[in-house]
mmCIF file of all heavy atoms in Angstrom:
data_model
loop_
_atom_site.group_PDB
_atom_site.id
_atom_site.type_symbol
_atom_site.label_atom_id
_atom_site.label_comp_id
_atom_site.label_asym_id
_atom_site.label_seq_id
_atom_site.Cartn_x
_atom_site.Cartn_y
_atom_site.Cartn_z
ATOM 1 N N ASP A 27 -23.733 3.976 -16.231
ATOM 2 C CA ASP A 27 -24.481 4.516 -17.430
ATOM 3 C C ASP A 27 -25.182 5.755 -17.088
ATOM 4 O O ASP A 27 -26.305 6.029 -17.484
ATOM 5 C CB ASP A 27 -25.394 3.398 -17.801
ATOM 6 C CG ASP A 27 -25.928 3.599 -19.210
ATOM 7 O OD1 ASP A 27 -25.173 4.190 -19.954
ATOM 8 O OD2 ASP A 27 -27.064 3.243 -19.532
ATOM 9 N N LYS A 28 -24.388 6.659 -16.400
ATOM 10 C CA LYS A 28 -24.968 8.027 -16.031
ATOM 11 C C LYS A 28 -23.859 9.066 -16.110
ATOM 12 O O LYS A 28 -22.642 8.630 -15.872
ATOM 13 C CB LYS A 28 -25.548 8.048 -14.572
ATOM 14 C CG LYS A 28 -26.704 7.142 -14.331
ATOM 15 C CD LYS A 28 -27.123 7.215 -12.897
ATOM 16 C CE LYS A 28 -28.227 6.255 -12.552
ATOM 17 N NZ LYS A 28 -28.537 6.230 -11.123
ATOM 18 N N PRO A 29 -24.174 10.241 -16.415
ATOM 19 C CA PRO A 29 -23.067 11.333 -16.470
ATOM 20 C C PRO A 29 -22.634 11.781 -15.181
ATOM 21 O O PRO A 29 -21.632 12.393 -15.013
ATOM 22 C CB PRO A 29 -23.728 12.381 -17.313
ATOM 23 C CG PRO A 29 -25.213 12.244 -17.117
ATOM 24 C CD PRO A 29 -25.414 10.754 -16.908
ATOM 25 N N ILE A 30 -23.499 11.579 -14.131
ATOM 26 C CA ILE A 30 -23.187 11.902 -12.729
ATOM 27 C C ILE A 30 -23.318 10.750 -11.837
ATOM 28 O O ILE A 30 -24.422 10.172 -11.894
ATOM 29 C CB ILE A 30 -24.115 13.130 -12.348
ATOM 30 C CG1 ILE A 30 -23.873 14.354 -13.200
ATOM 31 C CG2 ILE A 30 -23.882 13.474 -10.925
ATOM 32 C CD1 ILE A 30 -24.825 15.464 -12.975
ATOM 33 N N ILE A 31 -22.444 10.508 -10.967
ATOM 34 C CA ILE A 31 -22.524 9.435 -10.024
ATOM 35 C C ILE A 31 -22.262 9.856 -8.578
ATOM 36 O O ILE A 31 -21.529 10.919 -8.434
ATOM 37 C CB ILE A 31 -21.604 8.153 -10.355
ATOM 38 C CG1 ILE A 31 -20.102 8.646 -10.345
ATOM 39 C CG2 ILE A 31 -21.930 7.558 -11.669
ATOM 40 C CD1 ILE A 31 -19.121 7.420 -10.514
ATOM 41 N N SER A 32 -22.711 9.139 -7.677
ATOM 42 C CA SER A 32 -22.480 9.506 -6.248
ATOM 43 C C SER A 32 -21.147 9.194 -5.814
ATOM 44 O O SER A 32 -20.358 8.410 -6.345
ATOM 45 C CB SER A 32 -23.527 8.843 -5.396
ATOM 46 O OG SER A 32 -23.231 7.390 -5.275
ATOM 47 N N LYS A 33 -20.697 9.846 -4.677
ATOM 48 C CA LYS A 33 -19.407 9.661 -4.157
ATOM 49 C C LYS A 33 -19.279 8.153 -3.679
ATOM 50 O O LYS A 33 -18.269 7.546 -4.027
ATOM 51 C CB LYS A 33 -19.269 10.453 -2.952
ATOM 52 C CG LYS A 33 -17.883 10.437 -2.212
ATOM 53 C CD LYS A 33 -17.809 11.319 -1.048
ATOM 54 C CE LYS A 33 -16.532 11.349 -0.323
ATOM 55 N NZ LYS A 33 -16.518 12.195 0.821
ATOM 56 N N ASN A 34 -20.321 7.551 -3.131
ATOM 57 C CA ASN A 34 -20.261 6.179 -2.702
ATOM 58 C C ASN A 34 -20.116 5.262 -3.933
ATOM 59 O O ASN A 34 -19.281 4.243 -3.812
ATOM 60 C CB ASN A 34 -21.538 5.782 -1.970
ATOM 61 C CG ASN A 34 -21.561 6.360 -0.539
ATOM 62 O OD1 ASN A 34 -20.621 6.687 -0.056
ATOM 63 N ND2 ASN A 34 -22.741 6.462 0.035
ATOM 64 N N ARG A 35 -20.703 5.562 -4.967
ATOM 65 C CA ARG A 35 -20.557 4.619 -6.218
ATOM 66 C C ARG A 35 -19.084 4.777 -6.719
ATOM 67 O O ARG A 35 -18.601 3.721 -7.089
ATOM 68 C CB ARG A 35 -21.612 5.127 -7.293
ATOM 69 C CG ARG A 35 -21.441 4.480 -8.628
ATOM 70 C CD ARG A 35 -21.908 3.134 -8.515
ATOM 71 N NE ARG A 35 -21.564 2.340 -9.735
ATOM 72 C CZ ARG A 35 -22.456 1.634 -10.386
ATOM 73 N NH1 ARG A 35 -23.724 1.474 -10.028
ATOM 74 N NH2 ARG A 35 -22.085 0.959 -11.475
ATOM 75 N N LEU A 36 -18.528 5.933 -6.721
ATOM 76 C CA LEU A 36 -17.183 6.090 -7.074
ATOM 77 C C LEU A 36 -16.303 5.376 -6.175
ATOM 78 O O LEU A 36 -15.297 4.807 -6.705
ATOM 79 C CB LEU A 36 -16.840 7.635 -7.175
ATOM 80 C CG LEU A 36 -15.502 7.985 -7.844
ATOM 81 C CD1 LEU A 36 -15.390 7.470 -9.224
ATOM 82 C CD2 LEU A 36 -15.348 9.492 -7.869
ATOM 83 N N ILE A 37 -16.483 5.450 -4.882
ATOM 84 C CA ILE A 37 -15.630 4.770 -3.942
ATOM 85 C C ILE A 37 -15.672 3.245 -4.150
ATOM 86 O O ILE A 37 -14.612 2.570 -4.192
ATOM 87 C CB ILE A 37 -16.061 5.127 -2.450
ATOM 88 C CG1 ILE A 37 -15.669 6.516 -2.116
ATOM 89 C CG2 ILE A 37 -15.442 4.147 -1.468
ATOM 90 C CD1 ILE A 37 -16.190 7.074 -0.860
ATOM 91 N N LYS A 38 -16.924 2.705 -4.385
ATOM 92 C CA LYS A 38 -17.077 1.371 -4.631
ATOM 93 C C LYS A 38 -16.376 0.845 -5.850
ATOM 94 O O LYS A 38 -15.728 -0.180 -5.918
ATOM 95 C CB LYS A 38 -18.570 0.987 -4.718
ATOM 96 C CG LYS A 38 -19.224 0.960 -3.408
ATOM 97 C CD LYS A 38 -20.720 0.612 -3.506
ATOM 98 C CE LYS A 38 -21.386 0.756 -2.136
ATOM 99 N NZ LYS A 38 -22.895 0.572 -2.257
ATOM 100 N N GLY A 39 -16.450 1.715 -6.914
ATOM 101 C CA GLY A 39 -15.725 1.390 -8.227
ATOM 102 C C GLY A 39 -14.226 1.307 -8.019
ATOM 103 O O GLY A 39 -13.596 0.411 -8.567
ATOM 104 N N LEU A 40 -13.683 2.266 -7.287
ATOM 105 C CA LEU A 40 -12.301 2.313 -7.095
ATOM 106 C C LEU A 40 -11.792 1.128 -6.267
ATOM 107 O O LEU A 40 -10.820 0.505 -6.461
ATOM 108 C CB LEU A 40 -11.881 3.646 -6.452
ATOM 109 C CG LEU A 40 -11.957 4.940 -7.213
ATOM 110 C CD1 LEU A 40 -11.664 6.126 -6.447
ATOM 111 C CD2 LEU A 40 -11.002 4.878 -8.435
ATOM 112 N N LYS A 41 -12.593 0.822 -5.258
ATOM 113 C CA LYS A 41 -12.248 -0.341 -4.381
ATOM 114 C C LYS A 41 -12.347 -1.584 -5.161
ATOM 115 O O LYS A 41 -11.448 -2.539 -4.997
ATOM 116 C CB LYS A 41 -13.216 -0.346 -3.209
ATOM 117 C CG LYS A 41 -12.991 0.631 -2.138
ATOM 118 C CD LYS A 41 -14.040 0.851 -1.078
ATOM 119 C CE LYS A 41 -14.119 -0.440 -0.281
ATOM 120 N NZ LYS A 41 -15.169 -0.305 0.892
ATOM 121 N N TYR A 42 -13.322 -1.776 -5.917
ATOM 122 C CA TYR A 42 -13.456 -3.039 -6.731
ATOM 123 C C TYR A 42 -12.344 -3.184 -7.794
ATOM 124 O O TYR A 42 -11.777 -4.219 -7.915
ATOM 125 C CB TYR A 42 -14.851 -3.101 -7.357
ATOM 126 C CG TYR A 42 -15.093 -4.307 -8.261
ATOM 127 C CD1 TYR A 42 -15.420 -5.511 -7.656
ATOM 128 C CD2 TYR A 42 -15.020 -4.197 -9.618
ATOM 129 C CE1 TYR A 42 -15.574 -6.594 -8.451
ATOM 130 C CE2 TYR A 42 -15.206 -5.331 -10.430
ATOM 131 C CZ TYR A 42 -15.477 -6.527 -9.811
ATOM 132 O OH TYR A 42 -15.659 -7.645 -10.618
ATOM 133 N N HIS A 43 -12.174 -2.136 -8.554
ATOM 134 C CA HIS A 43 -11.265 -2.199 -9.678
ATOM 135 C C HIS A 43 -9.788 -2.169 -9.352
ATOM 136 O O HIS A 43 -8.920 -2.703 -10.059
ATOM 137 C CB HIS A 43 -11.599 -1.163 -10.790
ATOM 138 C CG HIS A 43 -12.877 -1.355 -11.407
ATOM 139 N ND1 HIS A 43 -13.115 -2.487 -12.223
ATOM 140 C CD2 HIS A 43 -14.088 -0.704 -11.370
ATOM 141 C CE1 HIS A 43 -14.301 -2.494 -12.714
ATOM 142 N NE2 HIS A 43 -14.949 -1.359 -12.210
ATOM 143 N N LEU A 44 -9.415 -1.439 -8.262
ATOM 144 C CA LEU A 44 -8.063 -1.294 -7.882
ATOM 145 C C LEU A 44 -7.746 -2.064 -6.652
ATOM 146 O O LEU A 44 -6.515 -2.240 -6.354
ATOM 147 C CB LEU A 44 -7.802 0.188 -7.645
ATOM 148 C CG LEU A 44 -7.877 1.206 -8.876
ATOM 149 C CD1 LEU A 44 -7.599 2.592 -8.402
ATOM 150 C CD2 LEU A 44 -6.785 0.698 -9.936
ATOM 151 N N GLY A 45 -8.702 -2.574 -5.939
ATOM 152 C CA GLY A 45 -8.373 -3.431 -4.804
ATOM 153 C C GLY A 45 -7.866 -2.563 -3.615
ATOM 154 O O GLY A 45 -7.000 -3.058 -2.859
ATOM 155 N N VAL A 46 -8.265 -1.398 -3.534
ATOM 156 C CA VAL A 46 -7.900 -0.484 -2.377
ATOM 157 C C VAL A 46 -8.807 -0.440 -1.328
ATOM 158 O O VAL A 46 -10.025 -0.808 -1.595
ATOM 159 C CB VAL A 46 -7.402 0.931 -2.907
ATOM 160 C CG1 VAL A 46 -6.291 0.906 -3.905
ATOM 161 C CG2 VAL A 46 -8.726 1.659 -3.635
ATOM 162 N N ASN A 47 -8.478 0.031 -0.189
ATOM 163 C CA ASN A 47 -9.415 0.178 0.906
ATOM 164 C C ASN A 47 -10.064 1.591 0.755
ATOM 165 O O ASN A 47 -9.751 2.409 -0.210
ATOM 166 C CB ASN A 47 -8.819 0.136 2.280
ATOM 167 C CG ASN A 47 -7.705 1.114 2.613
ATOM 168 O OD1 ASN A 47 -7.539 2.164 1.840
ATOM 169 N ND2 ASN A 47 -6.807 0.836 3.477
ATOM 170 N N GLU A 48 -11.068 1.895 1.657
ATOM 171 C CA GLU A 48 -11.786 3.089 1.501
ATOM 172 C C GLU A 48 -11.028 4.398 1.722
ATOM 173 O O GLU A 48 -11.149 5.391 1.001
ATOM 174 C CB GLU A 48 -12.987 3.182 2.494
ATOM 175 C CG GLU A 48 -13.916 4.282 2.314
ATOM 176 C CD GLU A 48 -15.339 4.040 2.852
ATOM 177 O OE1 GLU A 48 -15.660 2.840 3.093
ATOM 178 O OE2 GLU A 48 -16.038 4.986 2.876
ATOM 179 N N LYS A 49 -10.011 4.338 2.581
ATOM 180 C CA LYS A 49 -9.194 5.577 2.793
ATOM 181 C C LYS A 49 -8.384 5.888 1.552
ATOM 182 O O LYS A 49 -8.298 7.037 1.175
ATOM 183 C CB LYS A 49 -8.211 5.221 4.011
ATOM 184 C CG LYS A 49 -7.335 6.332 4.387
ATOM 185 C CD LYS A 49 -6.508 5.981 5.604
ATOM 186 C CE LYS A 49 -5.666 7.142 5.989
ATOM 187 N NZ LYS A 49 -4.801 6.760 7.193
ATOM 188 N N MET A 50 -7.815 4.794 0.970
ATOM 189 C CA MET A 50 -7.053 5.028 -0.330
ATOM 190 C C MET A 50 -7.930 5.571 -1.438
ATOM 191 O O MET A 50 -7.615 6.370 -2.272
ATOM 192 C CB MET A 50 -6.324 3.752 -0.740
ATOM 193 C CG MET A 50 -5.542 3.888 -2.015
ATOM 194 S SD MET A 50 -4.388 5.285 -1.982
ATOM 195 C CE MET A 50 -3.003 4.616 -1.210
ATOM 196 N N ALA A 51 -9.204 4.918 -1.513
ATOM 197 C CA ALA A 51 -10.134 5.409 -2.511
ATOM 198 C C ALA A 51 -10.419 6.894 -2.315
ATOM 199 O O ALA A 51 -10.546 7.596 -3.357
ATOM 200 C CB ALA A 51 -11.394 4.572 -2.392
ATOM 201 N N LEU A 52 -10.599 7.402 -1.129
ATOM 202 C CA LEU A 52 -10.788 8.786 -0.929
ATOM 203 C C LEU A 52 -9.579 9.609 -1.351
ATOM 204 O O LEU A 52 -9.744 10.696 -1.891
ATOM 205 C CB LEU A 52 -11.098 9.096 0.542
ATOM 206 C CG LEU A 52 -12.456 8.519 1.040
ATOM 207 C CD1 LEU A 52 -12.587 8.671 2.491
ATOM 208 C CD2 LEU A 52 -13.639 9.319 0.395
ATOM 209 N N LYS A 53 -8.387 9.133 -1.153
ATOM 210 C CA LYS A 53 -7.209 9.805 -1.588
ATOM 211 C C LYS A 53 -7.228 9.877 -3.151
ATOM 212 O O LYS A 53 -6.733 10.880 -3.727
ATOM 213 C CB LYS A 53 -5.927 9.073 -1.008
ATOM 214 C CG LYS A 53 -5.695 9.281 0.401
ATOM 215 C CD LYS A 53 -4.384 8.599 0.908
ATOM 216 C CE LYS A 53 -4.160 8.777 2.372
ATOM 217 N NZ LYS A 53 -2.945 8.106 2.746
#
Side-chain angles (χ1 to χ4, degrees):
D27 200 27
K28 296 178 185 175
I30 297 171
I31 60 173
S32 69
K33 180 180 180 180
N34 287 338
R35 174 71 190 228
L36 189 54
I37 289 171
K38 285 179 185 175
L40 291 171
K41 286 170 65 174
Y42 178 77
H43 293 293
L44 294 175
V46 296
N47 61 16
E48 189 156 344
K49 184 177 180 180
M50 179 53 85
L52 290 170
K53 287 181 181 180

